[in-house]
Amino acid sequence: MAGDDLTASESAILVVLMAEAREVLNTELRQRYGLDVRKPQRDKLTRLHYVASRKSGSTYALQLDDKGWVRVQTELDFTLRGASALGAALTALHGNLRDRVLARSGCATLTELFALSDVRAPAPTAAYEPIGSASEPAGPLRARVVSAYRALAAEPGAWVSLRRLRPFFADVQRDDLDDALRRLIREEGVTLVPESNQKTLTEADIAAALRVGGQDNHLLAIGV
């Protein structure tokens, strides 16, 4: 996003973590890619909420954070002095991945494309009435919400934060997604609740909350 002043190396870190789509140790990044995410880069990307990091033994575990998934949907600058061919290759790859490959994949966002399990909405059936608008390009919005939940939940009925769910819908207007969630929670076996320990809420959790019944709700469960 304009104003974050990402360097070519920092942009490349986001792309590597996008491709991994999981929490990965910095030591593994060094072994697999020769990439060492140093403290200044880690601190900056964490401060921007592009990368989530935590101490793990003598190293750090890193993964693309929610805002990071949104950031890789936009243009990144890979211009690196003395390595113009490498920068051109990454720029071409990332740009065409967003502009051409994503459109052909059936996925709506890069979050869906790189998810470790398939989160694309299934074809509509008579079992439910789609609640997405007719113009919603990736299929019924309800089905996409359920599929994204299943990709994130460890098991049916597990709690999934809206902070983790919303990046799967970077292409959807927030009001439309909120309306879809409000309709979904009317169904049997679907629950939306506030975080019981409010002290654990981050700014991202607060921003992702959905207000229902006069209170902000943060956690979704399907199949309870």
Side-chain angles (χ1 to χ4, degrees), residues 140-208:
L141 191 50
R142 176 201 180 278
R144 282 185 60 190
V145 172
V146 173
S147 295
Y149 169 84
R150 288 172 178 167
L152 294 168
E155 59 184 2
W159 294 112
V160 170
S161 69
L162 295 185
R163 175 183 62 81
R164 296 179 63 207
L165 188 75
R166 287 193 185 276
F168 285 84
F169 301 89
D171 61 310
V172 176
Q173 293 292 324
R174 175 157 181 148
D175 287 348
D176 292 338
L177 178 58
D178 287 355
D179 184 57
L181 288 167
R182 287 190 177 97
R183 295 189 185 205
L184 184 63
I185 61 176
R186 298 172 191 164
E187 298 183 18
E188 184 177 355
V190 181
T191 305
L192 183 68
V193 300
E195 168 58 58
S196 58
N197 186 357
Q198 297 282 303
K199 293 181 180 179
T200 66
L201 293 175
T202 65
E203 291 183 9
D205 289 315
I206 294 170

Coordinates of all heavy atoms in Angstrom, one line a residue, residues 140-208:
P140 N -21.8 -18.2 -4.9 CA -22.5 -17.8 -3.7 C -21.6 -17.4 -2.5 O -20.7 -18.2 -2.2 CB -23.3 -19.0 -3.4 CG -23.4 -19.8 -4.6 CD -22.1 -19.5 -5.3
L141 N -21.9 -16.3 -2.0 CA -21.0 -15.8 -0.9 C -21.1 -16.7 0.3 O -20.2 -16.9 1.1 CB -21.4 -14.3 -0.5 CG -20.5 -13.6 0.4 CD1 -19.0 -13.7 -0.1 CD2 -20.9 -12.1 0.4
R142 N -22.3 -17.2 0.6 CA -22.5 -18.1 1.7 C -21.5 -19.3 1.6 O -20.9 -19.7 2.6 CB -23.9 -18.6 1.8 CG -24.1 -19.7 2.9 CD -25.4 -20.5 2.6 NE -25.6 -21.5 3.7 CZ -24.9 -22.6 3.7 NH1 -24.0 -23.0 2.8 NH2 -25.2 -23.5 4.7
A143 N -21.5 -19.9 0.4 CA -20.6 -21.1 0.2 C -19.2 -20.7 0.4 O -18.4 -21.5 0.9 CB -20.9 -21.7 -1.2
R144 N -18.8 -19.5 0.0 CA -17.4 -19.1 0.1 C -17.0 -19.0 1.6 O -15.9 -19.3 2.0 CB -17.1 -17.8 -0.6 CG -17.0 -18.0 -2.1 CD -16.6 -16.6 -2.7 NE -15.3 -16.1 -2.2 CZ -14.9 -14.9 -2.5 NH1 -15.6 -14.1 -3.2 NH2 -13.8 -14.5 -1.9
V145 N -18.0 -18.4 2.4 CA -17.7 -18.3 3.8 C -17.5 -19.6 4.5 O -16.6 -19.8 5.3 CB -18.9 -17.5 4.5 CG1 -18.7 -17.5 6.0 CG2 -18.9 -16.1 4.0
V146 N -18.4 -20.6 4.1 CA -18.3 -21.9 4.7 C -17.0 -22.6 4.3 O -16.3 -23.2 5.1 CB -19.5 -22.7 4.3 CG1 -19.4 -24.2 4.8 CG2 -20.8 -22.1 4.9
S147 N -16.7 -22.5 3.0 CA -15.4 -23.1 2.6 C -14.2 -22.5 3.2 O -13.3 -23.2 3.6 CB -15.3 -22.9 1.0 OG -16.4 -23.6 0.4
A148 N -14.2 -21.2 3.4 CA -13.1 -20.5 4.0 C -13.0 -20.9 5.5 O -11.9 -21.2 6.0 CB -13.2 -19.0 3.9
Y149 N -14.1 -21.0 6.2 CA -14.1 -21.5 7.5 C -13.5 -22.9 7.6 O -12.7 -23.2 8.5 CB -15.6 -21.5 8.1 CG -15.7 -22.2 9.4 CD1 -15.4 -21.6 10.6 CD2 -16.0 -23.6 9.5 CE1 -15.4 -22.2 11.8 CE2 -16.1 -24.2 10.7 CZ -15.8 -23.6 11.9 OH -15.8 -24.2 13.1
R150 N -14.0 -23.8 6.8 CA -13.5 -25.2 6.8 C -12.0 -25.2 6.6 O -11.3 -26.1 7.1 CB -14.2 -26.0 5.8 CG -15.7 -26.3 6.2 CD -16.4 -27.0 5.0 NE -17.8 -27.3 5.4 CZ -18.7 -27.6 4.6 NH1 -18.4 -27.7 3.3 NH2 -19.9 -27.9 5.0
A151 N -11.4 -24.3 5.8 CA -10.0 -24.3 5.5 C -9.2 -23.9 6.8 O -8.1 -24.3 7.0 CB -9.7 -23.4 4.3
L152 N -9.8 -23.0 7.6 CA -9.2 -22.5 8.7 C -9.4 -23.3 10.0 O -8.5 -23.3 10.9 CB -9.7 -21.0 9.0 CG -9.3 -20.0 7.9 CD1 -10.1 -18.7 8.1 CD2 -7.8 -19.7 7.9
A153 N -10.5 -23.9 10.1 CA -10.9 -24.6 11.3 C -10.1 -26.0 11.5 O -10.0 -26.7 10.5 CB -12.4 -24.9 11.4
A154 N -9.7 -26.2 12.7 CA -9.0 -27.5 12.9 C -9.9 -28.7 12.8 O -9.5 -29.8 12.5 CB -8.3 -27.5 14.3
E155 N -11.2 -28.4 13.2 CA -12.2 -29.5 13.1 C -13.6 -28.8 13.1 O -13.7 -27.6 13.4 CB -12.1 -30.4 14.4 CG -12.3 -29.6 15.7 CD -12.0 -30.5 16.9 OE1 -11.7 -31.7 16.7 OE2 -12.2 -30.0 18.0
P156 N -14.6 -29.5 12.7 CA -16.0 -28.9 12.7 C -16.3 -28.4 14.1 O -16.1 -29.0 15.1 CB -16.9 -30.0 12.3 CG -16.0 -31.0 11.5 CD -14.6 -30.9 12.1
G157 N -16.8 -27.2 14.1 CA -17.2 -26.5 15.4 C -16.1 -25.8 16.1 O -16.4 -25.2 17.1
A158 N -14.9 -25.8 15.5 CA -13.8 -25.1 16.2 C -14.0 -23.6 15.9 O -14.6 -23.2 14.9 CB -12.4 -25.5 15.5
W159 N -13.5 -22.8 16.9 CA -13.6 -21.4 16.8 C -12.6 -20.8 15.8 O -11.4 -21.2 15.8 CB -13.4 -20.7 18.1 CG -14.5 -21.0 19.1 CD1 -14.3 -21.8 20.3 CD2 -15.9 -20.7 19.1 NE1 -15.5 -21.9 20.9 CE2 -16.5 -21.2 20.2 CE3 -16.6 -19.9 18.2 CZ2 -17.9 -21.0 20.5 CZ3 -18.0 -19.7 18.4 CH2 -18.6 -20.3 19.6
V160 N -13.1 -20.0 14.9 CA -12.2 -19.3 13.9 C -12.5 -17.8 14.1 O -13.6 -17.3 14.0 CB -12.5 -19.7 12.5 CG1 -11.8 -18.8 11.5 CG2 -12.0 -21.2 12.3
S161 N -11.4 -17.0 14.2 CA -11.6 -15.6 14.4 C -12.0 -14.9 13.1 O -11.5 -15.3 12.0 CB -10.3 -14.9 15.0 OG -9.3 -14.9 14.0
L162 N -12.8 -13.9 13.1 CA -13.1 -13.1 11.9 C -11.9 -12.4 11.4 O -11.8 -12.1 10.2 CB -14.2 -12.1 12.3 CG -15.6 -12.6 12.7 CD1 -16.6 -11.5 12.8 CD2 -16.1 -13.6 11.6
R163 N -10.9 -12.2 12.2 CA -9.6 -11.6 11.8 C -9.0 -12.5 10.8 O -8.4 -12.0 9.8 CB -8.7 -11.3 13.0 CG -7.3 -10.8 12.6 CD -6.4 -10.7 13.8 NE -6.2 -12.0 14.5 CZ -5.3 -12.9 14.1 NH1 -4.6 -12.7 13.0 NH2 -5.2 -14.0 14.8
R164 N -9.0 -13.8 11.0 CA -8.4 -14.7 10.0 C -9.3 -15.0 8.8 O -8.8 -15.3 7.7 CB -8.2 -16.1 10.7 CG -7.2 -16.0 11.9 CD -7.0 -17.3 12.5 NE -6.4 -18.3 11.6 CZ -6.7 -19.6 11.7 NH1 -7.4 -20.1 12.6 NH2 -6.1 -20.5 10.8
L165 N -10.6 -14.8 9.0 CA -11.6 -15.1 7.9 C -11.6 -14.0 6.9 O -11.7 -14.3 5.7 CB -13.0 -15.4 8.5 CG -14.0 -15.9 7.5 CD1 -13.8 -17.3 7.2 CD2 -15.4 -15.7 8.2
R166 N -11.6 -12.8 7.3 CA -11.9 -11.6 6.4 C -10.9 -11.5 5.2 O -11.3 -11.1 4.1 CB -11.9 -10.3 7.2 CG -13.2 -10.2 8.0 CD -13.4 -8.8 8.5 NE -14.5 -8.6 9.4 CZ -15.8 -8.4 9.0 NH1 -16.0 -8.3 7.7 NH2 -16.8 -8.3 9.8
P167 N -9.6 -11.9 5.4 CA -8.7 -11.7 4.3 C -9.1 -12.6 3.1 O -8.6 -12.3 1.9 CB -7.3 -12.2 4.8 CG -7.4 -11.8 6.3 CD -8.8 -12.1 6.6
F168 N -9.9 -13.7 3.3 CA -10.3 -14.5 2.2 C -11.3 -13.7 1.3 O -11.7 -14.2 0.2 CB -11.0 -15.8 2.7 CG -10.0 -16.8 3.2 CD1 -9.5 -16.7 4.4 CD2 -9.5 -17.8 2.3 CE1 -8.6 -17.7 4.9 CE2 -8.6 -18.7 2.8 CZ -8.1 -18.7 4.1
F169 N -11.7 -12.5 1.7 CA -12.8 -11.8 1.0 C -12.4 -10.4 0.7 O -13.2 -9.5 0.8 CB -14.1 -11.8 1.9 CG -14.6 -13.2 2.1 CD1 -14.2 -13.9 3.3 CD2 -15.4 -13.9 1.2 CE1 -14.6 -15.2 3.5 CE2 -15.8 -15.2 1.5 CZ -15.4 -15.8 2.6
A170 N -11.1 -10.2 0.3 CA -10.6 -8.9 0.0 C -11.3 -8.3 -1.2 O -11.3 -7.1 -1.4 CB -9.1 -9.0 -0.3
D171 N -11.9 -9.2 -2.0 CA -12.6 -8.7 -3.2 C -14.1 -8.4 -3.0 O -14.8 -8.0 -3.9 CB -12.6 -9.8 -4.3 CG -13.2 -11.1 -3.8 OD1 -12.9 -11.6 -2.7 OD2 -14.1 -11.7 -4.6
V172 N -14.5 -8.6 -1.7 CA -16.0 -8.4 -1.4 C -16.1 -7.1 -0.5 O -15.3 -6.9 0.4 CB -16.5 -9.6 -0.6 CG1 -17.9 -9.4 -0.2 CG2 -16.4 -10.9 -1.5
Q173 N -17.1 -6.3 -0.8 CA -17.4 -5.2 0.1 C -17.7 -5.7 1.5 O -18.4 -6.7 1.7 CB -18.6 -4.4 -0.5 CG -18.4 -3.7 -1.8 CD -17.4 -2.6 -1.7 OE1 -17.3 -1.9 -0.7 NE2 -16.6 -2.4 -2.7
R174 N -17.2 -4.9 2.5 CA -17.4 -5.4 3.9 C -18.8 -5.5 4.2 O -19.2 -6.4 4.9 CB -16.7 -4.4 4.8 CG -17.0 -4.7 6.3 CD -15.9 -4.2 7.2 NE -16.3 -4.6 8.6 CZ -15.4 -4.8 9.5 NH1 -14.1 -4.7 9.2 NH2 -15.7 -5.1 10.7
D175 N -19.7 -4.5 3.8 CA -21.1 -4.6 4.1 C -21.7 -5.9 3.6 O -22.6 -6.5 4.2 CB -21.8 -3.4 3.5 CG -21.5 -2.1 4.3 OD1 -21.0 -2.2 5.4 OD2 -21.9 -1.0 3.8
D176 N -21.3 -6.3 2.4 CA -21.8 -7.6 1.8 C -21.4 -8.8 2.6 O -22.2 -9.7 2.8 CB -21.4 -7.7 0.3 CG -22.0 -6.7 -0.6 OD1 -23.0 -6.1 -0.3 OD2 -21.4 -6.4 -1.7
L177 N -20.2 -8.8 3.0 CA -19.7 -9.9 3.8 C -20.4 -9.9 5.2 O -20.8 -11.0 5.7 CB -18.2 -9.9 4.0 CG -17.6 -11.0 4.9 CD1 -17.9 -12.3 4.3 CD2 -16.1 -10.8 5.0
D178 N -20.5 -8.7 5.8 CA -21.2 -8.7 7.1 C -22.7 -9.2 7.0 O -23.2 -9.9 7.8 CB -21.2 -7.2 7.6 CG -19.9 -6.8 8.1 OD1 -18.9 -7.6 8.1 OD2 -19.7 -5.6 8.4
D179 N -23.3 -8.8 5.9 CA -24.7 -9.2 5.7 C -24.8 -10.8 5.5 O -25.6 -11.4 6.0 CB -25.3 -8.6 4.4 CG -26.8 -8.9 4.2 OD1 -27.6 -8.7 5.1 OD2 -27.1 -9.4 3.1
A180 N -23.8 -11.3 4.8 CA -23.7 -12.8 4.6 C -23.5 -13.5 5.9 O -24.1 -14.5 6.2 CB -22.6 -13.1 3.6
L181 N -22.6 -12.9 6.8 CA -22.4 -13.5 8.1 C -23.6 -13.5 9.0 O -24.0 -14.4 9.7 CB -21.2 -12.8 8.8 CG -19.8 -13.1 8.2 CD1 -18.8 -12.1 8.7 CD2 -19.4 -14.5 8.5
R182 N -24.3 -12.3 8.9 CA -25.5 -12.2 9.7 C -26.6 -13.2 9.3 O -27.3 -13.7 10.1 CB -26.1 -10.8 9.6 CG -25.2 -9.7 10.4 CD -25.9 -8.4 10.4 NE -25.2 -7.4 11.2 CZ -24.3 -6.5 10.6 NH1 -24.2 -6.5 9.3 NH2 -23.7 -5.7 11.4
R183 N -26.7 -13.5 8.0 CA -27.7 -14.4 7.5 C -27.2 -15.9 7.9 O -28.0 -16.7 8.3 CB -27.8 -14.3 6.0 CG -28.4 -13.0 5.6 CD -28.8 -13.1 4.1 NE -29.2 -11.8 3.6 CZ -30.0 -11.7 2.5 NH1 -30.4 -12.8 1.9 NH2 -30.4 -10.5 2.1
L184 N -25.9 -16.1 7.8 CA -25.4 -17.4 8.1 C -25.6 -17.8 9.5 O -26.0 -19.0 9.8 CB -23.9 -17.5 7.8 CG -23.2 -18.8 7.9 CD1 -23.8 -19.8 7.0 CD2 -21.7 -18.7 7.6
I185 N -25.5 -16.9 10.5 CA -25.6 -17.2 11.9 C -27.0 -17.5 12.3 O -27.2 -17.9 13.5 CB -24.9 -16.2 12.8 CG1 -25.6 -14.8 12.6 CG2 -23.4 -16.0 12.5 CD1 -25.1 -13.7 13.6
R186 N -27.9 -17.3 11.4 CA -29.3 -17.6 11.7 C -29.5 -19.1 11.5 O -30.6 -19.7 11.9 CB -30.3 -16.9 10.8 CG -30.3 -15.4 11.0 CD -31.1 -14.7 10.0 NE -30.9 -13.2 10.0 CZ -31.2 -12.4 9.0 NH1 -31.9 -12.9 7.9 NH2 -31.0 -11.1 9.0
E187 N -28.6 -19.8 10.8 CA -28.8 -21.2 10.5 C -28.4 -22.1 11.7 O -27.6 -21.7 12.5 CB -27.9 -21.6 9.3 CG -28.2 -20.8 8.0 CD -27.4 -21.3 6.9 OE1 -26.8 -22.4 6.9 OE2 -27.3 -20.6 5.9
E188 N -29.0 -23.2 11.8 CA -28.7 -24.2 12.8 C -27.2 -24.6 12.8 O -26.7 -24.9 11.7 CB -29.6 -25.4 12.7 CG -29.5 -26.4 13.9 CD -30.5 -27.5 13.7 OE1 -31.3 -27.5 12.8 OE2 -30.4 -28.5 14.6
G189 N -26.6 -24.7 13.9 CA -25.2 -25.2 14.0 C -24.2 -24.1 13.7 O -23.0 -24.4 13.6
V190 N -24.6 -22.8 13.6 CA -23.7 -21.7 13.3 C -23.7 -20.8 14.5 O -24.8 -20.4 14.9 CB -24.0 -21.0 12.0 CG1 -23.0 -19.9 11.8 CG2 -24.0 -22.0 10.8
T191 N -22.6 -20.4 15.0 CA -22.5 -19.5 16.2 C -21.5 -18.5 16.0 O -20.4 -18.7 15.5 CB -22.2 -20.3 17.5 OG1 -23.1 -21.4 17.6 CG2 -22.2 -19.5 18.7
L192 N -21.8 -17.2 16.4 CA -20.9 -16.1 16.4 C -20.9 -15.5 17.8 O -21.9 -15.1 18.3 CB -21.3 -15.1 15.3 CG -20.3 -13.9 15.2 CD1 -19.0 -14.3 14.6 CD2 -21.0 -12.9 14.3
V193 N -19.7 -15.4 18.4 CA -19.7 -14.9 19.8 C -18.5 -13.9 20.0 O -17.6 -13.9 19.2 CB -19.4 -16.1 20.8 CG1 -20.6 -17.1 20.7 CG2 -18.1 -16.8 20.5
P194 N -18.6 -13.1 21.1 CA -17.4 -12.3 21.4 C -16.3 -13.1 22.0 O -16.5 -14.2 22.5 CB -18.0 -11.3 22.5 CG -19.5 -11.5 22.4 CD -19.7 -12.9 21.9
E195 N -15.1 -12.5 21.9 CA -14.0 -13.2 22.6 C -14.2 -13.0 24.1 O -14.4 -11.9 24.5 CB -12.7 -12.5 22.1 CG -11.4 -12.8 22.9 CD -11.1 -14.3 23.0 OE1 -10.9 -14.9 21.9 OE2 -11.1 -14.8 24.1
S196 N -14.1 -14.1 24.8 CA -14.4 -14.0 26.2 C -13.3 -13.3 27.0 O -13.6 -12.6 28.0 CB -14.5 -15.5 26.8 OG -13.3 -16.2 26.6
N197 N -12.0 -13.4 26.5 CA -10.9 -12.6 27.2 C -10.6 -11.4 26.3 O -9.8 -11.5 25.4 CB -9.7 -13.5 27.3 CG -8.6 -12.9 28.1 OD1 -8.7 -11.7 28.5 ND2 -7.5 -13.6 28.3
Q198 N -11.3 -10.3 26.6 CA -11.1 -9.1 25.8 C -9.7 -8.6 25.8 O -9.3 -7.9 24.9 CB -12.1 -8.0 26.3 CG -13.6 -8.4 26.2 CD -14.1 -8.3 24.8 OE1 -14.1 -7.2 24.2 NE2 -14.6 -9.4 24.3
K199 N -8.9 -8.9 26.8 CA -7.6 -8.4 26.9 C -6.7 -9.0 25.8 O -5.6 -8.4 25.5 CB -7.0 -8.7 28.3 CG -7.6 -7.9 29.4 CD -7.0 -8.2 30.8 CE -7.6 -7.5 31.9 NZ -7.0 -7.8 33.2
T200 N -7.1 -10.1 25.3 CA -6.3 -10.7 24.2 C -6.5 -10.1 22.8 O -5.8 -10.5 21.9 CB -6.5 -12.2 24.2 OG1 -7.9 -12.5 23.7 CG2 -6.3 -12.9 25.5
L201 N -7.5 -9.3 22.7 CA -7.9 -8.8 21.4 C -6.8 -7.8 20.9 O -6.4 -6.9 21.6 CB -9.2 -8.1 21.5 CG -10.4 -8.9 21.7 CD1 -11.7 -8.1 21.9 CD2 -10.7 -9.9 20.6
T202 N -6.4 -8.0 19.6 CA -5.5 -7.1 19.0 C -6.3 -6.0 18.2 O -7.6 -6.1 18.1 CB -4.6 -7.8 18.0 OG1 -5.4 -8.4 16.9 CG2 -3.9 -9.0 18.7
E203 N -5.6 -5.0 17.7 CA -6.3 -4.0 16.9 C -7.0 -4.7 15.7 O -8.1 -4.3 15.3 CB -5.3 -3.0 16.4 CG -4.8 -2.1 17.5 CD -3.9 -1.0 17.0 OE1 -3.8 -0.9 15.8 OE2 -3.2 -0.3 17.8
A204 N -6.3 -5.7 15.1 CA -6.9 -6.4 14.0 C -8.1 -7.1 14.3 O -9.1 -7.2 13.6 CB -5.8 -7.3 13.4
D205 N -8.2 -7.8 15.5 CA -9.4 -8.4 16.0 C -10.5 -7.5 16.2 O -11.7 -7.8 15.8 CB -9.1 -9.1 17.3 CG -8.2 -10.3 17.2 OD1 -8.4 -11.1 16.3 OD2 -7.3 -10.4 18.1
I206 N -10.3 -6.3 16.7 CA -11.3 -5.3 17.0 C -11.8 -4.8 15.6 O -13.0 -4.6 15.5 CB -10.7 -4.2 17.8 CG1 -10.4 -4.7 19.2 CG2 -11.7 -3.0 17.9 CD1 -9.6 -3.7 20.1
A207 N -10.9 -4.6 14.7 CA -11.4 -4.0 13.4 C -12.2 -5.1 12.6 O -13.1 -4.7 11.8 CB -10.1 -3.7 12.5
A208 N -11.9 -6.4 12.8 CA -12.6 -7.4 12.1 C -13.9 -7.8 12.7 O -14.7 -8.6 12.1 CB -11.7 -8.7 12.0

